[in-house]
Amino acid sequence: MLAFHKWSRRTCFARQSFPRRQYYFTANGFRPRKISLSDKNGIRNRGTRGKTTEAGEDKSGHISAGPNEGIFFLDNVFPLKLRWILRLPFIHADRSIPELMKRMNNPRIAAADPMSIIRRALPKSLPIKVTEVLPRLKEGGAFVKFWHEPQIQAAEIEGTLRDYLKGNPIKPWFNPFRRVRTFLVHGRPWVEDLSRFPSSRLKVEFLPTAPGGEAAELSQETLYSLFRRYGKLADIVPQLTDSKVVPKFALLNFVKTRQAIMAKNCMHGFTLPKSEGGGETGTVLRLVYEQKVKAHWIRDWLVNHPRVVIPALAALVATVTVAVFDPIRTFFIKAHVTHSFHINDYHVYKWLKSQVTRANDILRLGHHGTEDAGLNAIWDDRKDDIEQIKTWLMETAETFIVIQGPRGSGKKELVIDQALKDRKHKLIIDCKPIQEARGDSGTINAAANEVGYRPIFSWMNSISSLVDLAAQGTIGTKTGFSETLDSQLAKIWQNTASALKAIALEGRKKDDKDADLGEDEYLEAHPERRPIVVIDNFLHKSQESTVVYDKISEWAASLTTANIAHVIFLTNDVSFSKSLSKALPDRVFRQISLGDCSPEVAKRFVINHLDIDGIDSIDHLKLTPPQQREDLGELDGCIETLGGRLTDLEFLARRIKTGETPTKAVREIIEQSASEILKMYILDIDRTSRNWSPQQAWLLIKSLATSENIRYNEILLSDTFKSGGENTLQALEQAELITINSSNGRPHSIRPGKPVYSAAFRLLTEDHVLKARLDLAILSELAKIETQNIDKYEAELNLLANLPKQPGELAPRTKWLLGKLYDCQSKVEKYEHESGGLKKILQVEY
């Protein structure tokens, strides 16, 4: 009769027991102990038990059998998939897992808990007495230590038990396709509780039986005969012959992990005698699990294959960006163009604003004008230009409009506030913040803000550049992970084009008479549906970089070619055609050039400002009719001096409103302009960032002070502009010191950049000290140029004089060189004489 003895307090089944008709082993021998049954399955009530047995007897890491004792290892008692629970720090595995499985027991499924599985696996007819059960949770099995009669061999009991399990298979609920197996333990198993988990590969190390002894290296045939009984072997890999690793070892690859678990627990510590090939003193087998796959094989593979991983990662990021962020960005661009989230377009806000304005008008006794009303005179004068822009926007052809004019001529107000006043969908892009942004990230941010492109991860551009640089140093080539400023801007403009096209097609309905037209044909037939893109400050500081303007030009050309939107450029640069012709070489631009106002319109503009903005509302500024007539007469001469630039006229009106007379206001404007000219073009000049010298700027100022227009070629022929003269003049035109007039595409004359600059130039030349100082600088430069010419001529004459013979043909050349040398010397003497007079002025006057 099979009897079960007392379970050691080390067993993990602390709350389970066998039926009460069993004997329990204690230190004092065998004695019966009553057990209260809570159900017919023999599960006893909860009680207190000892410590874990995962570490073996007394946590020694081993479990051994004495005389007439043996150890079985039962497989398939616990599910292997629960191994991850052992990693949790708050789980007491030895107690929690069996209790958890016990609670999962379904009365309809017999023997669902581990104790029932072990009980059923050991029949009552087996002539053994169970003395201890040690579970192996991470290996999915349990050790069963038993006592048997001396006349019965443990191998016979193993055979009987295996035959019984074959005839009566036990299949737990968690693995219904695999039965419980058992084998006799031949070695001394190591029952560690380390964080080492089973694998289908075993490493068999060959150790000597005593220190200093010699172990035999077992052959593949010997290993096969020892381990084949535990399961099918996929391969046996011996140690390499030239390997210096000790102890010697071999690798056993089992087909299944549970087979490797059985072999490891039954054969660990087994001593192979000499008769079976274990050497003179025998060989001890030490078995450990060898992981087939490294713990961090994914990370290691990614690190070790950068040529594959980094481009794949870049492609993945691009895919995610297109699939996830592009629709979001397109939505925000549409909201930016249509003003979906702008409070100014809400009806409630408009109503409140109108009520507040009406109340303000009542309080101001009817004097409710604004500064914009002062522009009515300008718009009346430019009514033809406004109507021309509206007409172009209604044409079905590609609309590419350029509004060119000097700064302060009212280009933006003319287009946005007048021509596009009734247009709802318009996108205004200011190139100035984009061009002036620092670095690629700043440029990308500025461009995105202009069109409402968000979210924007401009900081990723710097990080990706560093990653790309590191990858280039690692694998030798660029991976394409980082993107250039060109490609980033192209993405922004591409998303903007998609949003503009969606806006243009929003009002289309299925029941329209032209519903059968394609999208391109519909947009071509309905120019009023297209949004309008206004590109302000085009070519601002274009001499620094043209990347931004090139991309904008290409994008604008694609918008007009595809009939997605109308495009209007606002620029101060007269050479805009060079940049735009690159994008549309076969197109003729529709162009309007804005100049300064005529004296009559300028006078009306100033008077409207004075009448509307508060002369009547400020008591101490009320003028009598004689005073008004005197001021109006004075105003005519002031406007003639000031010119028709809108910014200067508005500045004049504001000064007059503060109480100044027109003459005094104009005088102060001229003095302020003169100070700006000195600071910007003459005194604070950095030749590394500016393409002109103070002497060149002063020569133009001095020439334009005496004449409103000077000949373009006359300036180029002067000695000061001999080197790079045309580039210098273009740079000064970009800086708005001068304006170059052209005829038939050819520059022919130069005039001041602003009308008020004529008076400012005259004021500067009337300063004798300043004039003497700058003229002296010009003379010094001219003398330096002539001295260099003299050195050149003398060097050539010296070369001719050192020839062995002096042929007659050299006489004309020698005579020409002598004449040039005489002319240069005469000029140097002249410059020195004039310089002497200028130096006297500097020494005498302040």
XYZ file of all heavy atoms in Angstrom, residues 348-401:
447
model
N -21.050 87.195 -33.372
C -21.231 87.842 -32.073
C -20.169 88.915 -31.863
O -20.455 90.032 -31.404
C -21.179 86.787 -30.942
C -21.271 87.471 -29.578
C -22.300 85.775 -31.105
N -18.924 88.586 -32.213
C -17.846 89.552 -32.046
C -18.061 90.765 -32.959
O -17.839 91.916 -32.544
C -16.508 88.889 -32.355
C -15.322 89.816 -32.259
C -14.731 90.105 -31.040
C -14.797 90.417 -33.407
C -13.661 90.964 -30.952
C -13.724 91.281 -33.334
C -13.148 91.548 -32.103
O -12.092 92.402 -32.023
N -18.486 90.521 -34.186
C -18.736 91.637 -35.098
C -19.834 92.550 -34.566
O -19.740 93.784 -34.656
C -19.105 91.100 -36.483
C -17.959 90.426 -37.223
C -18.421 89.931 -38.592
C -17.272 89.299 -39.362
N -17.700 88.796 -40.680
N -20.887 91.946 -34.001
C -21.983 92.753 -33.468
C -21.511 93.593 -32.281
O -21.810 94.783 -32.190
C -23.128 91.833 -33.049
C -24.300 92.587 -32.500
C -25.297 93.204 -33.192
C -24.578 92.799 -31.108
N -26.189 93.800 -32.326
C -25.768 93.570 -31.029
C -23.936 92.421 -29.924
C -26.321 93.959 -29.824
C -24.494 92.807 -28.731
C -25.671 93.563 -28.670
N -20.752 92.974 -31.371
C -20.237 93.712 -30.223
C -19.313 94.841 -30.666
O -19.340 95.953 -30.119
C -19.498 92.761 -29.281
C -20.357 91.762 -28.500
C -19.465 90.804 -27.715
C -21.297 92.490 -27.552
N -18.493 94.559 -31.661
C -17.567 95.581 -32.148
C -18.323 96.759 -32.756
O -17.965 97.933 -32.543
C -16.615 94.970 -33.171
C -15.553 95.925 -33.663
C -14.610 95.234 -34.644
C -13.546 96.195 -35.131
N -12.627 95.531 -36.094
N -19.380 96.454 -33.499
C -20.166 97.540 -34.094
C -20.850 98.387 -33.036
O -20.930 99.619 -33.161
C -21.198 96.956 -35.060
O -22.144 96.160 -34.361
N -21.328 97.747 -31.976
C -21.986 98.502 -30.908
C -20.991 99.392 -30.170
O -21.290 100.546 -29.835
C -22.653 97.528 -29.918
C -23.761 96.679 -30.534
C -24.875 97.521 -31.125
O -25.334 98.495 -30.527
N -25.315 97.160 -32.331
N -19.804 98.865 -29.894
C -18.782 99.664 -29.216
C -18.351 100.833 -30.094
O -18.158 101.961 -29.618
C -17.585 98.771 -28.843
C -16.435 99.616 -28.303
C -17.998 97.738 -27.808
N -18.206 100.600 -31.389
C -17.812 101.675 -32.306
C -18.873 102.765 -32.358
O -18.562 103.962 -32.361
C -17.574 101.091 -33.700
O -16.598 100.057 -33.628
C -17.093 102.160 -34.660
N -20.146 102.342 -32.373
C -21.227 103.331 -32.407
C -21.243 104.172 -31.132
O -21.410 105.402 -31.195
C -22.557 102.605 -32.587
C -23.749 103.539 -32.715
C -25.031 102.746 -32.889
N -24.946 101.884 -34.049
C -25.913 100.996 -34.374
N -26.987 100.877 -33.609
N -25.772 100.257 -35.451
N -21.062 103.526 -29.999
C -21.028 104.276 -28.747
C -19.844 105.235 -28.705
O -19.953 106.367 -28.230
C -20.963 103.306 -27.569
N -18.714 104.794 -29.238
C -17.522 105.660 -29.276
C -17.752 106.862 -30.178
O -17.314 107.981 -29.883
C -16.326 104.834 -29.745
C -15.023 105.593 -29.593
O -14.874 106.383 -28.659
N -14.090 105.357 -30.496
N -18.478 106.650 -31.272
C -18.775 107.760 -32.174
C -19.661 108.799 -31.500
O -19.483 110.012 -31.683
C -19.462 107.233 -33.438
C -18.536 106.352 -34.257
O -17.312 106.434 -34.031
O -19.028 105.578 -35.100
N -20.610 108.312 -30.712
C -21.505 109.248 -30.025
C -20.735 110.079 -29.009
O -20.922 111.299 -28.889
C -22.646 108.466 -29.353
C -23.522 107.796 -30.425
C -23.493 109.384 -28.480
C -24.594 106.889 -29.859
N -19.824 109.412 -28.276
C -19.042 110.126 -27.271
C -18.113 111.153 -27.904
O -17.816 112.192 -27.314
C -18.230 109.139 -26.431
C -19.059 108.205 -25.532
C -18.142 107.205 -24.840
C -19.831 109.012 -24.488
N -17.628 110.841 -29.126
C -16.711 111.772 -29.805
C -17.459 112.795 -30.640
O -16.867 113.486 -31.467
C -15.740 110.993 -30.689
C -14.804 110.098 -29.895
C -13.859 109.370 -30.818
N -13.036 110.294 -31.576
C -12.199 109.925 -32.556
N -12.105 108.646 -32.879
N -11.480 110.825 -33.186
N -18.773 112.877 -30.471
C -19.614 113.888 -31.132
C -19.534 113.804 -32.649
O -19.457 114.810 -33.358
C -19.222 115.309 -30.660
C -19.320 115.544 -29.146
C -18.821 116.937 -28.812
C -20.733 115.324 -28.654
N -19.486 112.582 -33.104
C -19.555 112.385 -34.549
C -18.236 112.375 -35.256
O -18.160 112.064 -36.431
N -17.122 112.746 -34.604
C -15.798 112.754 -35.259
C -15.192 111.370 -35.084
O -14.421 111.125 -34.172
C -14.921 113.831 -34.641
C -15.521 115.199 -34.716
N -15.698 115.872 -35.890
C -16.013 116.006 -33.727
C -16.252 117.063 -35.654
N -16.461 117.164 -34.344
N -15.551 110.429 -35.944
C -15.212 109.019 -35.745
C -14.305 108.465 -36.822
O -14.257 107.278 -37.050
C -16.507 108.196 -35.717
C -17.358 108.365 -36.938
N -18.253 109.412 -37.042
C -17.426 107.655 -38.091
C -18.876 109.324 -38.223
N -18.381 108.268 -38.869
N -13.619 109.284 -37.511
C -12.776 108.765 -38.582
C -11.585 108.005 -38.052
O -11.207 108.101 -36.912
N -10.981 107.259 -38.893
C -9.768 106.523 -38.578
C -8.687 106.934 -39.547
O -8.926 107.658 -40.524
C -10.015 105.010 -38.701
O -10.359 104.720 -40.052
C -11.119 104.548 -37.779
N -7.492 106.428 -39.291
C -6.380 106.778 -40.164
C -6.577 106.217 -41.564
O -6.073 106.764 -42.530
C -5.069 106.251 -39.568
C -4.631 106.998 -38.333
C -3.242 106.587 -37.896
O -2.641 105.744 -38.580
O -2.752 107.117 -36.892
N -7.298 105.104 -41.658
C -7.502 104.520 -42.983
C -8.291 105.463 -43.888
O -8.174 105.389 -45.118
C -8.245 103.189 -42.857
C -7.389 102.151 -42.170
O -6.156 102.330 -42.175
O -7.942 101.177 -41.631
N -9.118 106.294 -43.277
C -9.893 107.214 -44.112
C -8.991 108.205 -44.834
O -9.335 108.730 -45.890
C -10.916 107.952 -43.252
N -7.810 108.461 -44.271
C -6.882 109.356 -44.933
C -6.325 108.790 -46.211
O -5.786 109.523 -47.040
N -6.457 107.484 -46.369
C -5.956 106.846 -47.578
C -6.949 106.915 -48.728
O -6.639 106.455 -49.837
C -5.631 105.372 -47.290
C -4.486 105.106 -46.306
C -4.407 103.632 -45.959
C -3.165 105.573 -46.917
N -8.145 107.452 -48.480
C -9.153 107.500 -49.544
C -8.660 108.283 -50.749
O -8.943 107.931 -51.904
C -10.450 108.111 -49.018
C -11.144 107.196 -48.021
O -10.956 105.964 -48.070
N -11.937 107.776 -47.131
N -7.906 109.322 -50.486
C -7.370 110.106 -51.603
C -6.401 109.271 -52.432
O -6.366 109.386 -53.664
C -6.676 111.363 -51.067
N -5.627 108.419 -51.746
C -4.674 107.561 -52.471
C -5.425 106.531 -53.303
O -5.095 106.289 -54.473
C -3.730 106.874 -51.483
C -3.049 107.912 -50.587
C -2.705 106.040 -52.220
C -2.183 108.874 -51.310
N -6.452 105.942 -52.696
C -7.182 104.895 -53.425
C -7.962 105.484 -54.594
O -8.110 104.817 -55.627
C -8.122 104.151 -52.482
C -7.461 103.582 -51.253
C -7.997 103.502 -50.006
C -6.156 103.012 -51.143
N -7.125 102.933 -49.130
C -5.971 102.609 -49.816
C -5.099 102.813 -52.044
C -4.811 102.035 -49.352
C -3.934 102.241 -51.591
C -3.780 101.848 -50.268
N -8.446 106.695 -54.438
C -9.114 107.321 -55.586
C -8.138 107.533 -56.733
O -8.488 107.380 -57.914
C -9.708 108.676 -55.155
C -10.881 108.490 -54.197
O -11.443 107.361 -54.163
O -11.217 109.442 -53.462
N -6.902 107.891 -56.388
C -5.899 108.094 -57.434
C -5.474 106.775 -58.079
O -5.116 106.755 -59.262
C -4.690 108.809 -56.827
C -3.631 109.135 -57.863
O -3.965 109.802 -58.854
O -2.472 108.701 -57.672
N -5.512 105.683 -57.289
C -5.073 104.381 -57.793
C -6.247 103.451 -58.074
O -6.122 102.233 -58.008
C -4.131 103.725 -56.786
C -2.839 104.509 -56.590
C -1.955 103.890 -55.536
N -0.688 104.599 -55.429
C 0.245 104.334 -54.522
N 0.035 103.367 -53.631
N 1.387 105.029 -54.493
N -7.389 104.027 -58.361
C -8.575 103.219 -58.599
C -8.398 102.303 -59.807
O -8.880 101.168 -59.828
C -9.770 104.154 -58.809
C -11.101 103.427 -58.896
C -12.247 104.430 -58.990
C -13.582 103.698 -59.050
N -14.719 104.664 -59.149
N -7.706 102.784 -60.815
C -7.497 101.952 -62.012
C -6.658 100.723 -61.690
O -6.921 99.627 -62.206
C -6.809 102.783 -63.101
C -7.697 103.908 -63.607
O -8.937 103.821 -63.417
O -7.158 104.890 -64.171
N -5.639 100.885 -60.834
C -4.823 99.725 -60.453
C -5.636 98.706 -59.666
O -5.485 97.488 -59.857
C -3.632 100.191 -59.605
C -2.662 101.060 -60.402
O -2.644 100.920 -61.638
O -1.946 101.856 -59.780
N -6.510 99.179 -58.782
C -7.343 98.256 -57.998
C -8.283 97.478 -58.909
O -8.426 96.252 -58.778
C -8.123 99.050 -56.930
C -7.155 99.707 -55.940
C -9.106 98.137 -56.201
C -7.827 100.654 -54.969
N -8.922 98.177 -59.840
C -9.832 97.483 -60.757
C -9.080 96.521 -61.668
O -9.597 95.455 -62.017
C -10.585 98.519 -61.597
C -11.542 99.393 -60.794
C -12.618 98.572 -60.104
O -13.032 97.540 -60.663
O -13.037 98.965 -58.995
N -7.859 96.880 -62.032
C -7.068 95.989 -62.881
C -6.748 94.682 -62.156
O -6.825 93.592 -62.733
C -5.773 96.692 -63.291
C -4.887 95.870 -64.220
C -5.544 95.600 -65.548
O -5.761 96.509 -66.345
N -5.888 94.352 -65.824
N -6.403 94.751 -60.878
C -6.115 93.546 -60.088
C -7.364 92.672 -59.979
O -7.311 91.447 -60.148
C -5.593 93.929 -58.700
C -4.238 94.645 -58.821
C -5.456 92.703 -57.813
C -3.723 95.192 -57.510
N -8.516 93.287 -59.716
C -9.763 92.516 -59.625
C -10.082 91.837 -60.944
O -10.564 90.692 -60.964
C -10.909 93.435 -59.209
C -10.800 93.959 -57.779
C -11.997 94.842 -57.443
C -11.924 95.327 -55.996
N -13.081 96.191 -55.641
N -9.832 92.512 -62.043
C -10.100 91.908 -63.359
C -9.193 90.720 -63.607
O -9.634 89.672 -64.114
C -9.909 92.966 -64.456
O -10.772 94.073 -64.192
C -10.224 92.378 -65.823
N -7.918 90.854 -63.292
C -6.990 89.730 -63.480
C -7.398 88.512 -62.646
O -7.232 87.376 -63.083
C -5.579 90.173 -63.092
C -4.938 91.048 -64.135
C -5.270 91.135 -65.445
C -3.855 91.966 -63.936
N -4.468 92.044 -66.095
C -3.572 92.561 -65.188
C -3.097 92.335 -62.833
C -2.584 93.514 -65.367
C -2.094 93.278 -63.005
C -1.836 93.859 -64.248
N -7.931 88.756 -61.446
C -8.312 87.632 -60.579
C -9.544 86.899 -61.084
O -9.808 85.773 -60.643
C -8.571 88.138 -59.156
C -7.357 88.688 -58.404
C -7.770 89.227 -57.049
C -6.291 87.609 -58.244
N -10.304 87.509 -61.983
C -11.492 86.837 -62.522
C -11.217 86.144 -63.841
O -12.104 85.476 -64.391
C -12.613 87.865 -62.710
C -13.130 88.444 -61.402
S -13.704 87.175 -60.240
C -15.057 86.476 -61.187
N -10.009 86.247 -64.371
C -9.683 85.587 -65.627
C -9.400 84.114 -65.391
O -8.895 83.714 -64.331
C -8.468 86.257 -66.271
C -8.740 87.683 -66.727
C -7.518 88.309 -67.373
O -6.463 87.623 -67.405
O -7.595 89.466 -67.817
N -9.721 83.280 -66.362
C -9.507 81.830 -66.233
C -8.060 81.441 -66.451
O -7.654 80.331 -66.101
C -10.387 81.080 -67.234
O -10.083 81.533 -68.561
C -11.864 81.336 -66.947
N -7.282 82.315 -67.059
C -5.878 81.991 -67.317
C -5.095 81.998 -66.007
O -5.568 82.431 -64.954
C -5.282 82.992 -68.313
N -3.884 81.501 -66.097
C -3.024 81.461 -64.919
C -2.739 82.886 -64.439
O -2.353 83.746 -65.223
C -1.709 80.748 -65.255
C -1.913 79.320 -65.755
C -0.640 78.745 -66.329
O 0.391 79.443 -66.271
O -0.673 77.616 -66.842
N -2.954 83.096 -63.142
C -2.826 84.439 -62.578
C -1.544 84.535 -61.776
O -1.409 83.917 -60.716
C -4.033 84.747 -61.678
O -5.225 84.450 -62.395
C -4.034 86.200 -61.269
N -0.595 85.337 -62.312
C 0.699 85.523 -61.665
C 0.965 87.020 -61.679
O 1.458 87.572 -62.662
C 1.769 84.755 -62.448
C 2.950 84.335 -61.620
C 2.880 83.214 -60.824
C 4.128 85.056 -61.632
C 3.951 82.802 -60.065
C 5.209 84.654 -60.882
C 5.119 83.522 -60.095
N 0.618 87.699 -60.584
C 0.639 89.157 -60.536
C 1.807 89.616 -59.668
O 2.057 89.036 -58.605
C -0.691 89.701 -59.966
C -1.870 89.163 -60.790
C -0.696 91.210 -59.938
C -3.217 89.502 -60.195
